Amino acid sequence: MAGTRNRVEVLHGVNFDMLGRRDKDVYGDFSLTELEVKIKRFARDLGLETRFFQTNAEGEFVEHLHRLPEMADAAIVNAGAWTHYSWAIRDALDLTGIPTVEVHLSDISKREEWRRTSVIADVVSHRILGKGPDGYRMALGHLAEATR
């Protein structure tokens, strides 16, 4: 990210604190802490700084998005189930004005019908579905390349 401090905020939504306890065939057998360690390594290899945020409270997620432009140059968002219905998160994400990649550990396009909808898809610069933790590496690569 030329001319910036290369700050990427990684936001995880509802139930991400339960990684490792959720369906391992869908979400993997790692904890949120283990996922964040991997993401931090991916980012370091690309010369990017990462910060992490996770909450199970939709209002807190929205408030964090409101502050995002002062804290980060780009973002990766996995809003969990909020992806499928939270217009409040969609609108707050749209207000950030920073490059954002939507990431999902599982391929939501091949899951239950209700999971196939993303209300944030039209306000992100890129989407990565179903690549597990490697999706975050791909998202960081996209952000680094897109802003050079």
Side-chain angles (χ1 to χ4, degrees), residues 47-84:
L48 303 173
E49 296 175 25
T50 51
R51 283 181 20 141
F52 300 94
F53 178 77
Q54 189 279 326
T55 184
N56 292 316
E58 185 176 6
E60 286 179 21
F61 201 87
V62 168
E63 290 292 335
H64 197 79
L65 287 169
H66 289 171
R67 295 186 302 274
L68 203 55
E70 293 87 45
M71 298 185 299
D73 305 304
I76 297 172
V77 174
N78 186 334
W82 293 325
T83 300
H84 315 298

Side-chain angles (χ1 to χ4, degrees), residues 7-133:
R7 302 168 304 168
V8 178
E9 188 83 3
V10 181
L11 294 91
H12 290 117
V14 66
N15 294 322
F16 264 80
D17 56 333
M18 294 290 110
L19 282 178
R21 293 176 54 193
R22 296 184 76 186
D23 185 342
K24 291 171 180 27
D25 292 333
V26 174
Y27 299 104
D29 63 352
F30 45 85
S31 68
L32 178 58
T33 300
E34 291 168 325
L35 176 61
E36 289 177 349
V37 166
K38 287 181 186 191
I39 295 168
K40 192 170 271 298
R41 275 193 217 121
F42 297 151
R44 188 177 52 234
D45 290 347
L46 293 167
L48 303 173
E49 296 175 25
T50 51
R51 283 181 20 141
F52 300 94
F53 178 77
Q54 189 279 326
T55 184
N56 292 316
E58 185 176 6
E60 286 179 21
F61 201 87
V62 168
E63 290 292 335
H64 197 79
L65 287 169
H66 289 171
R67 295 186 302 274
L68 203 55
E70 293 87 45
M71 298 185 299
D73 305 304
I76 297 172
V77 174
N78 186 334
W82 293 325
T83 300
H84 315 298
Y85 68 86
S86 179
W87 294 100
I89 287 174
R90 183 246 181 247
D91 288 349
L93 186 56
D94 190 32
L95 288 170
T96 68
I98 64 173
T100 303
V101 177
E102 175 186 355
V103 172
H104 295 280
L105 293 168
S106 67
D107 187 346
I108 62 172
S109 71
K110 296 180 179 164
R111 295 190 59 198
E112 304 93 332
E113 189 65 37
W114 65 270
R115 289 189 198 268
R116 296 177 190 172
T117 298
S118 170
V119 299
I120 67 173
D122 69 327
V123 296
V124 297
S125 55
H126 193 64
R127 300 178 73 212
I128 300 170
L129 312 176
K131 302 296 183 186

